[in-house]
Amino acid sequence: MKPLTKLALRMGVLSLAAVSLSGCSFLGINFAMNQMSEKECMMRAMYFESNRSSAEGMLAVGTVVMNRLNDARYPKSVCGVVGQKNQFASGVLTKPMTDSGAVLASQVADQVLRGSRHPGVQSAQHFHTAGMRFPYNNMYYVLEAGGNEFYEKRDPRSGRLL
């Protein structure tokens, strides 16, 4: 077999293997994210990041995703925002959703993608598990919901959003 043909065959096998690994990363490309709808990515963020029985918590997480989507510093798609490394729960785009919380997440995702927002979240683009505290003076807390505390990053001197 000619060297070019062998290379083409190997590339074809690698491509097929990568696609068959749906949900895995190959050469830095997340194939699961490419196959998911914006709704599924939103559902997964809300499902894995909030108390699965709390519509309010899910709405708050969804609002943060949309706040980031509307900021030039973040990716320009829901899946891009949710799939950003070290920003949401580990495995958010790959783990199975196994309980009735997925039904609620689907309903709330529809609401968020149609324009619903949690008013308490305001401009917050960040949250962490409720009850944790950090020594930073730029975290301005606006809401606790669904087991999370939501905050805006503000300049401590001027109060302006960062």
Side-chain angles (χ1 to χ4, degrees), residues 11-83:
M11 292 304 290
V13 169
L14 284 175
S15 296
L16 182 59
V19 172
S20 70
L21 292 174
S22 185
C24 296
S25 179
F26 177 75
L27 299 176
I29 301 168
N30 186 333
F31 290 95
M33 192 169 70
N34 292 334
Q35 296 174 357
M36 287 186 201
S37 68
E38 298 284 279
K39 178 181 175 178
E40 186 172 3
C41 291
M42 180 65 76
M43 283 175 56
R44 289 174 155 281
M46 295 185 302
Y47 178 89
F48 288 109
E49 291 288 0
S50 69
N51 178 336
R52 293 180 184 137
S53 62
S54 169
E56 180 188 21
M58 288 185 178
L59 181 61
V61 169
T63 301
V64 165
V65 171
M66 298 309 288
N67 285 350
R68 287 182 177 198
L69 185 65
N70 293 322
D71 185 321
R73 296 176 289 187
Y74 292 94
K76 291 293 151 214
S77 71
V78 170
C79 292
V81 168
V82 174

Side-chain angles (χ1 to χ4, degrees):
M1 198 177 283
K2 294 180 180 178
L4 189 54
T5 306
K6 283 183 181 180
L7 178 61
L9 181 60
R10 285 184 187 153
M11 292 304 290
V13 169
L14 284 175
S15 296
L16 182 59
V19 172
S20 70
L21 292 174
S22 185
C24 296
S25 179
F26 177 75
L27 299 176
I29 301 168
N30 186 333
F31 290 95
M33 192 169 70
N34 292 334
Q35 296 174 357
M36 287 186 201
S37 68
E38 298 284 279
K39 178 181 175 178
E40 186 172 3
C41 291
M42 180 65 76
M43 283 175 56
R44 289 174 155 281
M46 295 185 302
Y47 178 89
F48 288 109
E49 291 288 0
S50 69
N51 178 336
R52 293 180 184 137
S53 62
S54 169
E56 180 188 21
M58 288 185 178
L59 181 61
V61 169
T63 301
V64 165
V65 171
M66 298 309 288
N67 285 350
R68 287 182 177 198
L69 185 65
N70 293 322
D71 185 321
R73 296 176 289 187
Y74 292 94
K76 291 293 151 214
S77 71
V78 170
C79 292
V81 168
V82 174
Q84 241 188 331
K85 189 173 182 173
N86 299 323
Q87 294 298 303
F88 289 90
S90 179
V92 68
L93 293 177
T94 57
K95 289 182 184 176
M97 295 185 286
T98 58
D99 62 25
S100 61
V103 173
L104 181 59
S106 176
Q107 294 166 348
V108 178
D110 283 335
Q111 294 170 8
V112 170
L113 294 172
R114 285 194 307 260
S116 292
R117 302 290 182 268
H118 193 298
V121 171
Q122 302 174 41
S123 299
Q125 295 179 343
H126 310 280
F127 60 92
H128 61 70
T129 303
M132 297 177 73
R133 282 292 181 250
F134 299 94
Y136 310 113
N137 63 357
N138 66 344
M139 297 168 75
Y140 179 80
Y141 290 93
V142 296
L143 176 72
E144 183 175 333
N148 291 308
E149 293 190 52
F150 297 81
Y151 63 95
E152 298 172 342
K153 285 188 177 180
R154 293 187 180 181
D155 182 308
R157 289 171 287 186
S158 69
R160 291 182 46 214
L161 286 174
L162 297 175

